[in-house]
Amino acid sequence: MVSREMSPASRGSSEDLQNDESSAVKFGTADALAYVRTLTDVGAMTRLLHECIAYQRALDVDLDSLLSQRTDLDKHLLQLQKSAEVLDIVKADSDHMLSNVRSTSDLADQVSRKVRELDLAQSRVNDTLLRIDAIVDRNNCLDGVKTALDEENFEAAAKFVQRFVEIDNKYKDSGSDQREQLLTAKKQLEGIVKKRVLAAVDQRDHGTILRFIKLYSPLGIEEEGLQVYVGYLKKVIGMRWRMEYDNLVELMEQSQDQNHVNFVGCLTNLFKDIVLAIEENDEILRGLCGEDGIVYAICELQEECDSRGCLILKKYMEYRKLGKLSAEINAQNKNLLNVGVSEGPDPREVELYLEEILSLMQLGEDYTEFMVSKIKSLSSVDPELVPRATKAFRSGSFSKVVQEITGFYVILEGFFMVENVRKAIRIDEYVPDSLTTSMVDDVFYVLQSCLRRAISTSNISSVIAVLSSASSLLSNEYQEALQQKTREPNLGAKLFLGGVGVQKTGTEIATALNNMDVSSEYVLKLKHEIEEQCAEVFPTPADREKVKSCLSELGDLSKMFKQILNMGMEQLVATVTPRIRPVLDSVATISYELSEAEYADNEVNDPWVQRLLHAVETNAAWLQPLMTANNYDSFVHLIIDFIVKRLEVIMMQKKFSQLGGLQLDRDTRALVSHFSSMTQRTVRDKFARLTQMATILNLEKVSEILDFWGENSGPMTWRLTPAEVRRVLGLRVDFKPEAIALLKL
């Protein structure tokens, strides 16, 4: 009764729930049956019934589909039954084949085993035959050695010994009696070979030595042979050197002319003998121990270089008394203020020593470079030998003596350079048809020669020392010599004695200034030349950085010479400008408030420009042939600076009509035209302010300035400030101050 009174909403909810559940029912399962029993709603039951009927119909369709395939399945089953009969036949054939294969395999195994047994037997037979041959060869070698020794055919005996050793190394388990006999014969042959080699070495019989040294390899004593042969080479080199050295010492004792004692030739012959010993015996050394033999020979012969070469260099230093000479130079250098007080060594003699030292150092460097490159070119040498051999060259006793003689070279080179620079300054004189005195070319020739010689030593320390000395000379004594003339008192009075330019004084002053100008250029040229040469000789970055640091001093010296030149030029201009100033001062009395008649008259009778240019020509142009082009240009530009500065002051104090502005423009153009013909540099920028003043004073009205100002200026760059522009506009008598004040510049 209660269920019938259920609200429609409640019934709707129950139906929806049951609908959802029925859609998830799987027919044919126990869960479906349990679900059906829980249904209470008729609508849900009806829907479920319809679904069940649809499900049943689907099953009928599937069943019909399966039943339609029955005929095909029966046919396939029948075929399988027929195939089963064939498989039985195949199985029987397979079993028969397997039986045949097994029997064949067993037979093959038996045959293979027989073959292996036969192969083993054959190898034993071959080994036996080889051993029999070896026994026969051993007997032949023993007989051959004995016969060869009796006949003194040592080459054949060595070959028999080598062959026996090869056989014995292969078959060590037999022939002990033969081995003992052969070793006895081998020992006898070694004794003969060594004895003959030693005798040949004593007699210096090169052919016999070569004959027997080649027997060391077949006898298996290559290293001993290498030591013996290299020892022989050392002995030959030592004997040849002793003859050269004794002749050198004899010349030292007998000859009064030191130039006849040829230390360079003696050292050259020593290096030549060592190099030829390596090159001409390359095949023999390689035959003994390969490329290792060459390295060994080079290292051993380097000992000869160290001992013999050191004696030559030490004897040279003793004979030339380099130690005493250097001590005298150092003692003289301690008292730099008293230049020329004590007599020092003769620079000409020192130069000969320098050339000798340079030749000796270059010889050592070339020899070392050749030997080191020879070692590095060997491809199959022991890697540990290369650095050891290189070290033997770079840190040997010969290298240490070279460093000692390098120290003397630096002292002598510094002395030679200082003395010759001082001499060039001392004998400075005027050279006909030259704008500089002899000092400039002489000094820089000496510096260039000394620095080139220092670079030729290939020693960075020598280059740095000589370069520093050259910089010191230029910045002190040479700079003082350059400034000496310009420091004279009353230079202006001497230049214009009696109101006329004195040619001699002008030449002296111009030449002094030319010396400064050319010296500045020469310093830069010297810097670039040394930099290029050092880049070729010293490839390492560290060495180049050292050179670069020293060369920077030369660059600073060039700038310093320029500064000194500018000071001297200003001093010269100061002597000329007083003679031009009166003409400039007269411009202050000339009026620029011109009428048309006055303007036309000025065009015919120039009021002041020609007088000013005449004053400039009279007092400055006569110096042009005496000066370098660079100096004369600088001189003219300094005069222009003076003139322009004075004219600007004067013009700012005047009043102008428009025709007066035109007159100023004409005057300025005349000045620009004339001065442009006097100098190779442009002068328009010097007159830019005057030209712009003239442009402003030419305007029809005040507002026209805006057509030339700011964005309307075009390519022209204004040199006048806005305040100066207003001031120039105020110079026009017909421009009203109110209009000028209203301008927005």
Side-chain angles (χ1 to χ4, degrees), residues 81 142 161 206 266 315 318 333 362 558 614 621 623 669:
Q81 289 175 349
L142 281 173
V161 170
H206 187 66
C266 186
K315 181 60 70 173
E318 176 188 344
N333 291 339
Q362 286 179 331
S558 178
H614 177 72
L623 293 171
R669 289 178 182 275

XYZ file of all heavy atoms in Angstrom, residues 81 142 161 206 266 315 318 333 362 558 614 621 623 669:
115
model
N 43.383 -35.364 -42.457
C 43.491 -36.813 -42.281
C 44.388 -37.418 -43.365
O 45.205 -38.301 -43.110
C 42.093 -37.445 -42.326
C 41.255 -37.117 -41.079
C 39.817 -37.662 -41.199
O 39.393 -38.100 -42.284
N 39.073 -37.621 -40.085
N 131.035 -24.136 -38.890
C 132.271 -24.385 -38.126
C 133.455 -24.559 -39.070
O 134.523 -23.957 -38.876
C 132.102 -25.632 -37.259
C 131.313 -25.448 -35.964
C 131.064 -26.790 -35.292
C 132.054 -24.524 -35.010
N 129.768 -16.956 -38.602
C 129.413 -16.819 -37.190
C 127.977 -16.315 -37.055
O 127.194 -16.821 -36.235
C 130.389 -15.858 -36.484
C 129.876 -15.506 -35.083
C 131.774 -16.477 -36.397
N 142.372 4.632 -42.377
C 140.914 4.748 -42.442
C 140.271 3.573 -43.182
O 139.209 3.065 -42.777
C 140.534 6.059 -43.134
C 139.065 6.350 -43.090
N 138.392 6.623 -41.929
C 138.134 6.393 -44.099
C 137.115 6.824 -42.193
N 136.926 6.697 -43.508
N 139.977 29.128 -37.090
C 140.259 27.950 -36.258
C 138.959 27.316 -35.755
O 138.789 26.091 -35.813
C 141.151 28.348 -35.087
S 141.711 26.951 -34.084
N 141.212 31.319 -25.287
C 142.481 31.852 -25.802
C 142.231 33.180 -26.523
O 143.058 34.116 -26.419
C 143.109 30.834 -26.759
C 144.442 31.257 -27.348
C 145.498 31.493 -26.265
C 145.922 30.184 -25.605
N 147.049 30.390 -24.678
N 141.736 35.839 -23.936
C 143.032 36.141 -23.315
C 143.899 36.978 -24.240
O 144.529 37.958 -23.815
C 143.730 34.815 -22.972
C 145.131 34.986 -22.416
C 145.853 33.657 -22.287
O 145.184 32.596 -22.342
O 147.092 33.677 -22.143
N 133.329 54.541 -17.428
C 131.898 54.853 -17.366
C 131.462 55.332 -15.990
O 130.415 55.978 -15.860
C 131.075 53.632 -17.767
C 131.224 53.318 -19.243
O 131.596 54.180 -20.034
N 130.945 52.079 -19.614
N 128.164 33.941 -34.082
C 127.331 33.438 -35.178
C 127.731 32.021 -35.575
O 126.871 31.182 -35.878
C 127.439 34.370 -36.388
C 126.685 35.680 -36.221
C 126.827 36.583 -37.426
O 127.836 36.538 -38.127
N 125.833 37.414 -37.677
N 110.782 59.948 -30.013
C 110.328 60.677 -31.204
C 109.355 61.785 -30.808
O 109.440 62.917 -31.318
C 109.671 59.706 -32.185
O 109.184 60.402 -33.310
N 103.925 91.672 -47.292
C 105.315 92.045 -47.579
C 106.183 91.870 -46.332
O 107.337 91.389 -46.426
C 105.370 93.493 -48.080
C 106.768 93.973 -48.326
N 107.516 93.527 -49.394
C 107.565 94.849 -47.618
C 108.708 94.109 -49.352
N 108.748 94.920 -48.281
N 109.911 84.424 -45.338
C 110.072 83.621 -46.555
C 111.530 83.326 -46.866
O 111.843 82.299 -47.491
C 109.410 84.326 -47.736
N 113.652 82.240 -45.011
C 114.097 81.036 -44.298
C 113.638 79.742 -44.984
O 114.074 78.652 -44.592
C 113.561 81.056 -42.857
C 114.132 82.143 -41.939
C 113.373 82.184 -40.628
C 115.618 81.888 -41.691
N 90.152 86.774 -47.924
C 90.424 85.920 -49.075
C 91.834 86.143 -49.606
O 92.519 85.195 -50.021
C 89.407 86.187 -50.183
C 88.005 85.686 -49.867
C 87.023 86.026 -50.993
N 85.680 85.599 -50.669
C 85.204 84.373 -50.878
N 86.014 83.462 -51.440
N 83.970 84.061 -50.563
